[in-house]
Amino acid sequence: MEKTRNPIPVAEAISRILARTARTGTEAVTLAESYGRFLREPLAATHDVPHFTRSPYDGYAIRAADSAGASGDHRIRFKVVDHIGAGEVSQVAIGAFEAVRLMTGAAIPDGADAVVMFEQARAEDGAFTIRKAFEPQENLSQQGEDMRAGEAVVPAGSLIHPGTIALLATFGYAYVQVAKRPVVGILSTGTELLDVSAPLAPGKIRNSNGPMIAAQLARMGIPYRMYQSADDRLEDLMQTVGQALAETDCLITTGGVSVGDFDYLPEVYKRLGAEVLFDKVAMRPGSVTTVAVAGNSFLFGLSGNPSACFTGFELFVRPALLRMMGAETLFLPHTTAVLAEDFPKANPFTRFIRAVYDGSKVRSAGFNKSNAVSSIAKGNSLLVLPGGTRGYSSGDSVDILLLGVEEGTNQWVL
Ligand code: AMP
Ligand code: MG
């Protein structure tokens, strides 16, 4: 008799996976290569930013005290004693009613404590006049106003995005300590599968899951090894899976995890002595998604149905890989949206529907069976309809998961 599978909630499945992930090692990469990687160490300011007080405008540095009493009727005149641009430092000490003409980013000269913007001055030959008094420190970009030396700025585990790169460059990090990326393999299974360049033949379909998963990994900045797709033959699968496991930290398979006559992966896990974390999740599509651990490697057994495969990757593989790299934010970002159509049928399992979110409303991306390919292509989000005894109506407020957003969240939606 076949063993009955016991469905567990999605959140439980995710936490079982996360409990088993091990950290990857650390490596140093160049600043340019660090984009999209995860910081292994917290980033603290190694000096004040800016590290000298500078001018935020093109104008004249003066002693504020000299401007006291200036008005439209009583303009005060300053003599220009030096002229500097950004990157230059004036060697002239400013005296009473003297000024240094300076450009944005230039260091404030000794003795000066305010900047008159060009717009606030009337230029004369080698001099200018002003019609208002300046406060000490007026129009200055103060040393340390952005960051103070020693201040914690970005925690370990943060995604290195363009802003982080700017920060790393500011502090002189030519090399950055980042998490190593896990070695991930992709193995599509199914005797019906053809490679992308093969002509269609009766009963056969092109393998779309393999390339799709490759792109899902690429979107996370994770390289992959693509294995030749495997026929549904137990001995061959044992051989291929065994070899792939030895070469990877994480092997993603598609197909063959269900209860069909040629679904051999459950038997492969058994023969490998893998520990199956779960083999049924209370979700649609992809309830047969199976995750196992063999030695130090993860086996993600995703359904062959394209929509289920896609969803299984985003819900289970993605957070696991992120956790391995020590990422702070493991989950797809989520928000609420107004449902723009009815889903009248109740479903005991939580549904994840490929959907189009327009910033306020969300609707299904079309044909939404688990074998759909079209709706994966059209969708930009996953609409989450929790399982239960009721359906959902247009106008209901629903949770959605946003796809393809660079940075996720540390809070799972369910
Ligand atoms: P399985 O999970 O092996 O029972 O497959 C479920 C359905 O997904 C079947 O209709 C398969 O033909 C289809 N399928 C399996 N693998 C792939 C794949 N790599 N690309 C596209 N469809 C697939
Ligand atoms: Mg199959």
Side-chain angles (χ1 to χ4, degrees):
M1 225 195 56
E2 269 164 29
K3 157 178 160 296
T4 47
R5 297 187 183 187
N6 179 27
I8 62 169
V10 175
E12 167 68 14
I14 294 172
S15 59
R16 283 190 197 178
I17 295 170
L18 295 182
R20 299 300 294 272
T21 53
R23 281 285 190 95
T24 57
T26 301
E27 63 184 338
V29 295
T30 64
L31 179 62
E33 287 165 343
S34 73
Y35 169 66
R37 306 293 294 267
F38 291 88
L39 275 180
R40 257 297 137 85
E41 292 165 355
L43 198 62
T46 53
H47 55 69
D48 287 347
V49 177
H51 70 94
F52 55 92
T53 296
R54 60 187 177 179
S55 177
Y57 303 116
D58 297 328
Y60 302 98
I62 61 166
R63 306 190 323 182
D66 295 340
S67 70
S71 71
D73 298 333
H74 176 64
R75 299 191 72 100
I76 296 181
R77 188 167 187 279
F78 288 81
K79 183 173 167 231
V80 177
V81 295
D82 198 10
H83 181 187
I84 58 171
E88 295 177 324
V89 176
S90 177
Q91 304 304 329
V92 178
I94 290 186
F97 302 101
E98 289 181 346
V100 169
R101 184 179 167 99
L102 80 187
M103 302 302 132
T104 303
I108 300 299
D110 287 346
D113 62 357
V115 167
V116 177
M117 297 158 67
F118 281 159
E119 300 87 313
Q120 296 171 317
R122 186 194 292 159
E124 295 177 0
D125 196 22
F128 62 91
T129 63
I130 56 174
R131 46 169 291 175
K132 84 166 205 87
F134 285 74
E135 298 291 328
Q137 312 306 317
E138 189 168 341
N139 289 346
L140 297 190
S141 171
Q142 295 286 354
Q143 175 174 344
E145 69 177 8
D146 189 354
M147 289 170 278
R148 286 274 175 209
E151 182 184 324
V153 193
V154 180
S158 298
L159 173 73
I160 299 176
H161 57 61
T164 328
I165 297 272
L167 194 64
L168 288 161
T170 298
F171 295 122
Y173 285 90
Y175 290 88
V176 188
Q177 298 291 324
V178 299
K180 278 191 179 160
R181 294 177 296 206
V183 179
V184 182
I186 303 171
L187 173 65
S188 305
T189 75
T191 303
E192 73 276 34
L193 300 181
L194 298 172
D195 274 348
V196 63
S197 47
L200 286 179
K204 305 279 188 187
I205 59 168
R206 291 197 188 95
N207 172 8
S208 60
N209 291 344
M212 174 180 73
I213 294 169
Q216 285 174 294
L217 288 165
R219 152 152 103 182
M220 296 178 66
I222 297 180
Y224 53 85
R225 292 184 190 191
M226 182 73 85
Y227 291 93
Q228 178 65 43
S229 62
D231 286 349
D232 297 310
R233 278 198 304 268
L234 181 57
E235 298 307 326
D236 294 359
L237 273 175
M238 273 303 295
Q239 157 79 27
T240 318
V241 171
Q243 187 189 333
L245 265 184
E247 295 169 350
T248 56
D249 301 316
C250 169
L251 178 65
I252 304 170
T253 62
T254 86
V257 284
S258 193
V259 294
D261 291 345
F262 303 103
D263 289 330
Y264 289 126
L265 278 159
E267 181 61 21
V268 170
Y269 301 142
K270 203 154 122 195
R271 293 194 186 186
L272 287 170
E275 181 192 345
V276 174
L277 304 183
F278 55 85
D279 59 8
K280 184 122 183 152
V281 188
M283 64 183 271
R284 297 255 184 261
S287 64
V288 296
T289 305
T290 301
V291 178
V293 178
N296 294 323
S297 301
F298 262 96
L299 281 152
F300 287 93
L302 305 182
S303 162
N305 279 310
S307 287
C309 179
F310 176 85
T311 307
F313 180 97
E314 297 294 334
L315 297 188
F316 304 118
V317 183
R318 187 176 182 279
L321 296 176
L322 290 173
R323 169 59 71 83
M324 291 176 200
M325 295 185 290
E328 280 265 286
T329 51
L330 304 180
F331 305 115
L332 294 172
H334 57 85
T335 185
T336 52
V338 178
L339 197 54
E341 68 191 282
D342 293 336
F343 289 87
K345 253 176 67 187
N347 197 308
F349 285 179
T350 296
R351 279 185 294 170
F352 294 87
I353 295 163
R354 279 80 50 223
V356 178
Y357 170 59
D358 68 6
S360 61
K361 292 204 264 329
V362 66
R363 63 172 67 249
S364 153
F367 182 64
N368 69 36
K369 287 198 187 154
S370 66
N371 56 2
V373 182
S374 59
S375 59
I376 321 174
K378 293 178 193 165
N380 61 6
S381 54
L382 290 172
L383 159 57
V384 186
L385 296 181
T389 51
R390 69 175 191 99
Y392 295 85
S393 316
S394 180
D396 285 354
S397 174
V398 290
D399 285 320
I400 61 169
L401 300 169
L402 303 173
L403 298 166
V405 177
E406 195 174 49
E407 202 154 12
T409 159
N410 56 14
Q411 197 200 338
W412 172 240
V413 66
L414 293 173

